[in-house]
């Protein structure tokens, strides 16, 4: 919806720029005509003030600490929904009917197996390879096995690829873990739920019976819901940019996984737990808080701060409550949980964090729960990538189906050396 335009006046320019209004959230100034009209670019390296696209999928209010998938608050989805339903919601925009949910769940369940030859792909990696390195490689390689769903112009193939990715990402994730510990891969079990099947592929062995714990199954499903989507974060923007060139969806998701790996993004859950282990005890917290505040020290409090949230990350709140429940139900007394809660308390009372509006984010408590559930730290970001695949592929689908979409190609402010003539080596 158009509103009164913004006027840009200066240096011989008197330009009216359209202002577009969303259904909620900040208006945007449409600058698509700016360069043609002024010969100037905008400059926003971290995209702190830039909307890269129009989307109907996820909305965040950073000041209020609100997150909604297709309009539904994350707290309600966390309480009353499940991950399969959330995947459907993100992909198609509405909660499914009973019949729609059953068909979607059955379709996903029946695509969980990987092409058998992919098992051999893993043997090319060192046993101590970081699981995220394997995830990037194997997911990118899916394009080599599923040629029949790489034509992005065919809606049916787009849907098949989307289902394949949501269905197979848990299988691949569990295989990265089994490979790293030298245990045999466990095939998917179609009798189990999405989360239950993943736990079975992660923790069962052929030599013993394994029963999925309802507590862990529910916690796992909840963690998947909380991590499913989050507007145009770095990895989602990577998926969109890769997809804008027409790259196949497997390559785009592999690009998203690569970006998520960074400690400033999805790698923060692994980095946060490592930080809590380094802190070790409550009495050492002040030392680390001081380091986080020291401009000369690159150390940052992992799991704190967010580009958008200048209030509590609502996912962190749900995660903290879940941590309490899971640790109690598992009878786990993890001293790091005490360190985390004390660190949160100290940081939230410290002027530096208060003035910069740095609050715990989704990664702050997730590591505590995942560790209690038996996941090694190196698998934490893999789980984030597993859950975010539904968000990434939904955003990719929205972009591909947008008739106005074009290849993303930012410009730059060039501050290098202007044109000069080549100097032969004997004259340098
Ligand atoms: C995720 O974008 C998403 O939606 C991401 C995500 C998703 O679901 O996709 O929510 C998932 O990535 C969560 C964030 C996980 N990362 C971390 O926990 C790593 C620690 N956090 C920081 O690296 C940082 O807060 C970021 C990267 C998350 C946000 O960085 P910004 O928005 O670029 O903010 P900034 O670096 O400009 O920081 C603003 C100020 C700076 O101080 P000044 O230069 O203004 O003096 O706050 C300081 C920073 O030094 N600061 C921190 C801090 N985070 C920011 N100081 C200490 N510890 C921190 N954690």
């Amino acid at each position: 919806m158009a509103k009164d335009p913004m006027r840009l006046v200066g240096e011989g320019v008197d330009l009216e720029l359209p202002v577009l209004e969303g259904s909620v959230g900040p208006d945007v100034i449409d600058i698509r005509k700016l360069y043609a009209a002024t010969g100037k670019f905008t400059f926003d390296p971290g995209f702190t003030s830039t909307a890269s696209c129009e989307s109907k999928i996820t909305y965040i209010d950073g000041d209020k600490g609100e997150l909604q998938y297709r309009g539904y608050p994350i707290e309600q989805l966390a309480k009353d929904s499940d991950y399969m339903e959330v995947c459907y919601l993100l992909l198609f925009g509405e909660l499914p009917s009973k019949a729609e949910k059953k068909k979607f769940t059955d379709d996903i369940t029946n695509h969980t197996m990987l092409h058998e030859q992919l098992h051999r792909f893993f043997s090319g990696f060192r046993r101590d390879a970081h699981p995220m390195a394997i995830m990037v490689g194997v997911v990118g390689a899916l394009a080599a096995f599923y040629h029949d769903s790489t034509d992005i112009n065919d809606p049916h193939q787009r849907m098949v690829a989307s289902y394949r990715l949501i269905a197979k990402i848990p299988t691949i994730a569990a295989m990265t873990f089994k490979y790293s510990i030298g245990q045999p891969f466990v095939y998917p079990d179609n009798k189990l739920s999405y989360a239950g099947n993943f736990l079975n592929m992660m923790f069962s062995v052929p030599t013993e019976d394994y029963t999925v714990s309802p507590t862990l199954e529910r916690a796992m499903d909840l963690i998947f819901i909380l991590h499913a989507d989050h507007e145009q974060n770095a990895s989602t923007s990577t998926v969109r940019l890769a997809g804008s060139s027409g790259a196949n969806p497997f390559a785009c998701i592999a690009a998203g996984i690569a970006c998520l790996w960074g400690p400033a993004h999805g790698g923060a859950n692994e980095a946060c737990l490592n930080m809590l282990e380094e802190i070790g005890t409550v009495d050492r917290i002040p030392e680390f808080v001081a380091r986080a505040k020291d401009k000369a020290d690159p150390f940052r409090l992992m799991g704190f701060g967010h580009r958008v949230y200048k209030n509590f990350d609502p996912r962190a709140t749900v995660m903290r409550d879940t941590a309490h429940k899971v640790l109690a139900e598992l009878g786990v007394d993890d001293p790091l949980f005490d360190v985390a809660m004390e660190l949160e308390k100290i940081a939230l009372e410290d002027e530096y964090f208060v003035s910069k509006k740095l609050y715990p984010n989704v990664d702050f408590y997730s590591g505590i729960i995942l560790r209690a559930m038996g996941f090694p730290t190196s698998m934490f970001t893999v789980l984030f990538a597993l859950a975010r695949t539904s968000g990434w592929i939904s955003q990719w689908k929205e972009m591909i189906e947008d008739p106005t979409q074009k290849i993303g190609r930012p410009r730059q402010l060039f501050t290098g050396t202007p044109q000069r003539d080549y100097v032969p080596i004997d004259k340098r």
Side-chain angles (χ1 to χ4, degrees):
M1 193 189 307
K3 294 182 76 175
D4 292 343
M6 293 281 272
R7 265 187 79 192
L8 184 64
V9 180
E11 283 190 28
V13 168
D14 185 345
L15 181 66
E16 284 202 338
L17 294 168
V19 173
L20 308 179
E21 187 181 19
S23 39
V24 284
D27 297 340
V28 299
I29 302 170
D30 183 345
I31 58 164
R32 284 174 285 190
K33 299 259 186 294
L34 182 75
Y35 180 54
T38 67
K40 289 181 170 50
F41 299 140
T42 58
F43 187 66
D44 185 12
F47 308 120
T48 51
S49 304
T50 296
S52 61
C53 65
E54 179 181 337
S55 180
K56 298 175 168 52
I57 298 175
T58 295
Y59 176 70
I60 300 169
D61 185 320
D63 294 328
K64 294 181 189 163
E66 291 174 356
L67 165 59
Q68 295 149 16
Y69 294 161
R70 301 286 191 176
Y72 295 100
I74 193 69
E75 295 84 356
Q76 293 181 27
L77 293 171
K79 179 171 164 294
D80 299 322
S81 187
D82 61 46
Y83 182 66
M84 278 292 96
E85 193 170 77
V86 164
C87 289
Y88 186 98
L89 174 66
L90 291 172
L91 273 170
F92 303 113
E94 298 297 335
L95 289 169
S97 66
K98 269 191 188 158
E100 288 165 335
K101 181 174 178 178
K102 180 170 182 342
K103 168 132 183 24
F104 179 75
T105 304
D106 290 347
D107 286 344
I108 296 296
T109 302
N110 289 305
H111 284 81
T112 48
M113 270 213 302
L114 269 194
H115 190 295
E116 194 68 8
Q117 266 187 270
L118 260 165
H119 289 207
R120 293 212 300 268
F121 195 92
F122 283 75
S123 56
F125 292 98
R126 287 171 46 134
R127 285 284 179 185
D128 61 354
H130 193 290
M132 283 298 280
I134 302 177
M135 286 284 283
V136 172
V138 174
V139 171
L142 292 177
F145 289 83
Y146 299 110
H147 293 289
D148 61 331
S149 62
T150 51
D151 177 358
I152 62 159
N153 299 307
D154 175 349
H156 176 68
Q157 290 194 36
R158 291 203 298 267
M159 202 33 59
V160 168
S162 303
Y163 280 38
R164 276 175 165 158
L165 279 157
I166 293 172
K168 297 177 191 308
I169 202 81
T171 311
I172 296 168
M175 289 169 77
T176 65
F177 173 62
K178 287 300 195 187
Y179 183 74
S180 70
I181 58 174
Q183 287 187 358
F185 297 141
V186 175
Y187 284 93
D189 179 344
N190 290 355
K191 297 187 297 301
L192 299 173
S193 71
Y194 189 88
N197 178 44
F198 174 63
L199 292 170
N200 184 56
M201 292 189 292
M202 274 290 302
F203 298 120
S204 76
V205 287
T207 51
E208 290 171 24
D209 292 339
Y210 176 83
T211 306
V212 176
S213 145
T215 299
L216 296 189
E217 185 176 20
R218 177 63 192 137
M220 193 78 266
D221 193 83
L222 174 59
I223 287 170
F224 289 163
I225 290 173
L226 295 175
H227 287 81
D229 196 51
H230 214 241
E231 276 191 7
Q232 305 312 316
N233 57 83
S235 54
T236 297
S237 300
T238 300
V239 170
R240 278 180 172 261
L241 197 54
S244 74
S245 75
N248 70 74
F250 305 110
C252 295
I253 300 304
I257 294 171
C259 177
L260 186 75
W261 194 359
H265 189 13
N269 53 18
E270 175 177 355
C272 181
L273 200 93
N274 291 338
M275 176 190 74
L276 291 173
E277 284 184 324
E278 192 184 350
I279 293 173
T281 54
V282 168
D283 62 313
R284 290 196 63 203
I285 289 176
E287 171 197 333
F288 284 82
V289 168
R291 281 187 57 196
K293 291 155 62 174
D294 177 359
K295 282 280 160 262
D297 188 330
F299 173 79
R300 287 195 166 180
L301 223 44
M302 304 317 282
F304 262 80
H306 198 279
R307 172 61 61 77
V308 176
Y309 289 123
K310 301 308 171 192
N311 196 324
F312 258 92
D313 178 337
R315 301 168 297 177
T317 309
V318 177
M319 208 65 93
R320 181 179 53 200
D321 299 344
T322 305
H324 273 297
K325 261 187 248 155
V326 169
L327 268 63
E329 286 177 24
L330 294 177
V332 170
D333 178 18
D334 185 347
L336 291 189
F337 188 49
D338 302 329
V339 172
M341 287 201 295
E342 184 61 18
L343 175 58
E344 176 187 344
K345 182 174 170 295
I346 291 174
L348 293 183
E349 289 165 359
D350 184 293
E351 176 49 29
Y352 174 91
F353 292 89
V354 171
S355 63
K356 294 178 188 296
K357 298 184 177 179
L358 301 176
Y359 289 85
N361 58 48
V362 67
D363 294 306
F364 188 65
Y365 283 103
S366 55
I368 301 281
I369 304 174
L370 295 174
R371 192 164 102 127
M373 294 172 72
F375 292 99
T377 310
S378 62
M379 282 295 289
F380 289 3
T381 310
V382 171
L383 299 180
F384 196 150
L386 188 168
R388 186 53 58 88
T389 294
S390 56
W392 285 332
I393 205 66
S394 301
Q395 297 270 353
W396 171 82
K397 174 179 179 288
E398 182 179 68
M399 179 206 60
I400 294 289
E401 290 172 356
D402 176 353
T404 67
Q405 80 92 13
K406 53 188 4 175
I407 189 167
R409 205 290 188 198
R411 301 305 299 271
Q412 64 178 8
L413 172 66
F414 182 72
T415 54
T417 308
Q419 183 172 321
R420 52 183 167 170
D421 295 329
Y422 180 79
V423 179
I425 193 159
D426 54 7
K427 293 197 168 44
R428 289 175 210 162

